Amino acid sequence: MSTIRNVAVVGAGSMGHQIAMLSALGGYQTYLQDINEASLEKAKETLEGIMTKWVTKGKISEEDKDAAFSRLSFTPSLEEAGNQADFVIEAVVEKLAVKREVFAKLDEITPSHAILATNSSTIVSSLIADVTNRPEKICNMHFFFPPLVMDCIEVVKGDHTSEETASIVMEVSEQMNRTAVQLNKEISGFIANRLLFALQREAISLYENGYADFEDIDVITKKALGHPLGPFELMDLSGIDVCCYVMQQHYEETGNVEDKPSTTMLEKMEAGELGRKTGKGFFQYDESGKIHS
């Protein structure tokens, strides 16, 4: 892994800040970039809290925690984050136009050898690669929420992605102590989300057609199928707005009306009931993020 020393993560939201910490824990000099300085401050505070709990639980030593933070820098400047990067992971909002704009800028800023990966949960990298002069160095590197907990990365190799790039992304994933699985063909939504979308679509349909309350659908999913979270609880955790963006993008790629966000989800998004982060989604939550009984 001598070719990869400096990593930049673009976007300090719910995914990006934890991906940056995985990178720092993996030994890489890491920049976490976000244009919103308040987001960077929140990211730093959140990571301090998570890592302190890890030390308390014996998952990591105080020395390793301090070493990881010494490798992690926070900046609002894309130029500062990217001008020496060997590897970039984009984790901005799930909107194609925004991602294309970010990749075009990264292509100008980063060294020509740098690999540019997108953490998109549905958007295939071939829809982004053409705004750069290095399509062979573009691919998907999809972490799962929350990255510091979930031990899986989907590495999606498009026709434009070189074998070398895919191999390096797999190695970086391993260095970050994550299990990576390579997909050799692009498909919108990849593997996990296509399975998840199918479950969520059916759950929403059953709820909207009055077969059962969403609470009961979640109970059945957990008790009968052994899932740790039901589909409605999971949508609340991910953020209903995020789910709507992802489904809308998926629909735009597939043209299948069944992939569009449901009426219920759109109504909740318009009402600002976005899940745990707002205290109410399908369920209501207390300040610690637990469901009100």
PDB file of all heavy atoms in Angstrom, residues 32 40 85 168 220-221 242-243 284:
ATOM      1  N   LEU A  32     -10.641  15.586   6.251  1.00  0.00           N
ATOM      2  CA  LEU A  32     -12.094  15.595   6.128  1.00  0.00           C
ATOM      3  C   LEU A  32     -12.500  17.003   5.719  1.00  0.00           C
ATOM      4  O   LEU A  32     -12.212  17.973   6.437  1.00  0.00           O
ATOM      5  CB  LEU A  32     -12.766  15.210   7.450  1.00  0.00           C
ATOM      6  CG  LEU A  32     -14.297  15.260   7.462  1.00  0.00           C
ATOM      7  CD1 LEU A  32     -14.907  14.328   6.423  1.00  0.00           C
ATOM      8  CD2 LEU A  32     -14.831  14.924   8.858  1.00  0.00           C
ATOM      9  N   LEU A  40     -18.147  20.519  10.186  1.00  0.00           N
ATOM     10  CA  LEU A  40     -16.827  20.013  10.582  1.00  0.00           C
ATOM     11  C   LEU A  40     -16.676  19.994  12.097  1.00  0.00           C
ATOM     12  O   LEU A  40     -16.140  19.037  12.670  1.00  0.00           O
ATOM     13  CB  LEU A  40     -15.726  20.873   9.960  1.00  0.00           C
ATOM     14  CG  LEU A  40     -15.556  20.782   8.444  1.00  0.00           C
ATOM     15  CD1 LEU A  40     -14.559  21.819   7.961  1.00  0.00           C
ATOM     16  CD2 LEU A  40     -15.101  19.382   8.035  1.00  0.00           C
ATOM     17  N   ALA A  85      -3.711  14.560  -2.260  1.00  0.00           N
ATOM     18  CA  ALA A  85      -4.407  13.288  -2.021  1.00  0.00           C
ATOM     19  C   ALA A  85      -4.003  12.225  -3.040  1.00  0.00           C
ATOM     20  O   ALA A  85      -3.887  12.493  -4.236  1.00  0.00           O
ATOM     21  CB  ALA A  85      -5.914  13.499  -2.072  1.00  0.00           C
ATOM     22  N   ILE A 168      -6.760  -1.582  -5.942  1.00  0.00           N
ATOM     23  CA  ILE A 168      -6.299  -0.651  -4.899  1.00  0.00           C
ATOM     24  C   ILE A 168      -7.432  -0.303  -3.954  1.00  0.00           C
ATOM     25  O   ILE A 168      -7.241  -0.239  -2.729  1.00  0.00           O
ATOM     26  CB  ILE A 168      -5.694   0.620  -5.531  1.00  0.00           C
ATOM     27  CG1 ILE A 168      -4.377   0.289  -6.227  1.00  0.00           C
ATOM     28  CG2 ILE A 168      -5.474   1.698  -4.473  1.00  0.00           C
ATOM     29  CD1 ILE A 168      -3.782   1.433  -7.022  1.00  0.00           C
ATOM     30  N   ILE A 220     -42.724  -8.019  12.978  1.00  0.00           N
ATOM     31  CA  ILE A 220     -42.664  -9.264  12.198  1.00  0.00           C
ATOM     32  C   ILE A 220     -41.311  -9.412  11.513  1.00  0.00           C
ATOM     33  O   ILE A 220     -40.711 -10.494  11.489  1.00  0.00           O
ATOM     34  CB  ILE A 220     -43.812  -9.301  11.158  1.00  0.00           C
ATOM     35  CG1 ILE A 220     -45.162  -9.424  11.876  1.00  0.00           C
ATOM     36  CG2 ILE A 220     -43.626 -10.455  10.172  1.00  0.00           C
ATOM     37  CD1 ILE A 220     -46.366  -9.198  10.983  1.00  0.00           C
ATOM     38  N   THR A 221     -40.808  -8.307  10.946  1.00  0.00           N
ATOM     39  CA  THR A 221     -39.517  -8.349  10.256  1.00  0.00           C
ATOM     40  C   THR A 221     -38.395  -8.760  11.206  1.00  0.00           C
ATOM     41  O   THR A 221     -37.515  -9.553  10.853  1.00  0.00           O
ATOM     42  CB  THR A 221     -39.194  -6.979   9.627  1.00  0.00           C
ATOM     43  OG1 THR A 221     -40.264  -6.579   8.771  1.00  0.00           O
ATOM     44  CG2 THR A 221     -37.911  -7.040   8.805  1.00  0.00           C
ATOM     45  N   VAL A 242     -33.050  11.289   3.182  1.00  0.00           N
ATOM     46  CA  VAL A 242     -32.000  10.560   2.458  1.00  0.00           C
ATOM     47  C   VAL A 242     -32.618   9.427   1.651  1.00  0.00           C
ATOM     48  O   VAL A 242     -32.285   9.212   0.480  1.00  0.00           O
ATOM     49  CB  VAL A 242     -30.941  10.024   3.435  1.00  0.00           C
ATOM     50  CG1 VAL A 242     -29.937   9.135   2.701  1.00  0.00           C
ATOM     51  CG2 VAL A 242     -30.221  11.170   4.134  1.00  0.00           C
ATOM     52  N   CYS A 243     -33.551   8.693   2.280  1.00  0.00           N
ATOM     53  CA  CYS A 243     -34.225   7.594   1.577  1.00  0.00           C
ATOM     54  C   CYS A 243     -34.966   8.102   0.343  1.00  0.00           C
ATOM     55  O   CYS A 243     -34.929   7.461  -0.715  1.00  0.00           O
ATOM     56  CB  CYS A 243     -35.202   6.890   2.515  1.00  0.00           C
ATOM     57  SG  CYS A 243     -34.420   5.995   3.871  1.00  0.00           S
ATOM     58  N   GLN A 284     -41.456   8.044  17.170  1.00  0.00           N
ATOM     59  CA  GLN A 284     -40.996   9.219  17.894  1.00  0.00           C
ATOM     60  C   GLN A 284     -39.821   8.798  18.776  1.00  0.00           C
ATOM     61  O   GLN A 284     -39.795   7.681  19.300  1.00  0.00           O
ATOM     62  CB  GLN A 284     -42.111   9.806  18.764  1.00  0.00           C
ATOM     63  CG  GLN A 284     -43.222  10.462  17.942  1.00  0.00           C
ATOM     64  CD  GLN A 284     -44.080  11.387  18.778  1.00  0.00           C
ATOM     65  OE1 GLN A 284     -43.601  12.026  19.710  1.00  0.00           O
ATOM     66  NE2 GLN A 284     -45.354  11.476  18.441  1.00  0.00           N
TER      67      GLN A 284
END
